[in-house]
Amino acid sequence: MTVPDSNPADSRSPARTASPVSRRVFLGGVGVAAALSVVPRPPAAAAASAAYTLRSRAAWGADESLRYAADGTEIWPPEYYPVQTLTVHHTDDGSTDPDPAAVVRAIYRNDTVGKGYGDIGYNFLIDRNGLVYEGRWSGTDGTPAHDASGRLVTGAHVQGYNSGNIGIALLGTLTTTPPTTAARTALIQLLAELAERHSIAPLGKVSYLNPVSGAARVAPAIGGHQHWAATDCPGTVLADMPAIRTEVAALIQG
């Protein structure tokens, strides 16, 4: 496998077409992780009313040793680029495990070892209870999915269009079933926080330009996997996307 967006082919894209929990509440642009530590201030103001519960990689039990080869080198070193757009997925993983953290660990292992990526492809994941999970490793000097300057760590979720594209996945198969109310609410809260942080207009479109390969595409600022590729992802969420964008915009304006 090649590193995402490191060549025009960008062959990395998922085939899918009991731990402490930290509360992240964004108040006046400051992230607070209660019972753990203060999260560094985002590079731009965060949505004042956006609140969601975040599980860090350590909290959901990521085995960080999987990211390294036998000689100790990191299989997929992080690369960072400014955020241009946000893309919603469903994992369509077929799991029946009632423990969502175990499902995240299984997806992580499959992406990291099974597909040979070296890490999980999504930047964030959301379970049916509305818990948000930190995805792709982004270092220790910034907020989840970002470096200290607020740039996004490149994931592997939309083939050819990963760099600068935040990948958010709802756990489960949503081809005929909508997400739970809790999951949908958390998705809107997360999208609102990220859109405001990166000055993205939720109702607009972007002229995406891959900073690595030069691939260009006009797409919704907040869209689904189907806006980028022929796939059934994110299932029923796609039809709900106009309402989701409107609610994200209202939350930011709130």
Side-chain angles (χ1 to χ4, degrees), residues 59-128:
W60 57 257
D63 181 355
E64 302 296 357
S65 68
L66 299 180
R67 297 190 295 110
Y68 296 88
D71 63 1
T73 59
E74 193 168 9
I75 298 169
W76 183 13
E79 297 180 17
Y80 306 92
Y81 298 95
V83 172
Q84 301 180 53
T85 186
L86 301 96
T87 301
V88 179
H89 302 258
H90 69 150
T91 58
D92 196 14
D93 54 272
S95 175
T96 58
D97 195 316
D99 179 6
V103 176
V104 174
R105 288 193 296 272
I107 294 170
Y108 169 58
R109 176 173 285 276
N110 188 43
D111 281 2
T112 306
V113 179
K115 293 186 173 74
Y117 292 179
D119 200 353
I120 194 168
Y122 302 116
N123 297 110
F124 296 95
L125 303 94
I126 301 174
D127 72 18
R128 62 177 290 105

Side-chain angles (χ1 to χ4, degrees), residues 8 20-21 56 99 111 131 136 164 173 192 211 213:
V21 176
S56 67
D99 179 6
D111 281 2
L131 286 177
R136 169 87 165 105
T173 301
S213 70

Side-chain angles (χ1 to χ4, degrees), residues 176-196:
T176 59
T177 304
T180 64
T181 299
R184 187 181 184 277
T185 298
L187 174 64
I188 290 168
Q189 292 170 336
L190 178 60
L191 288 169
E193 187 269 304
L194 293 169
E196 185 167 14

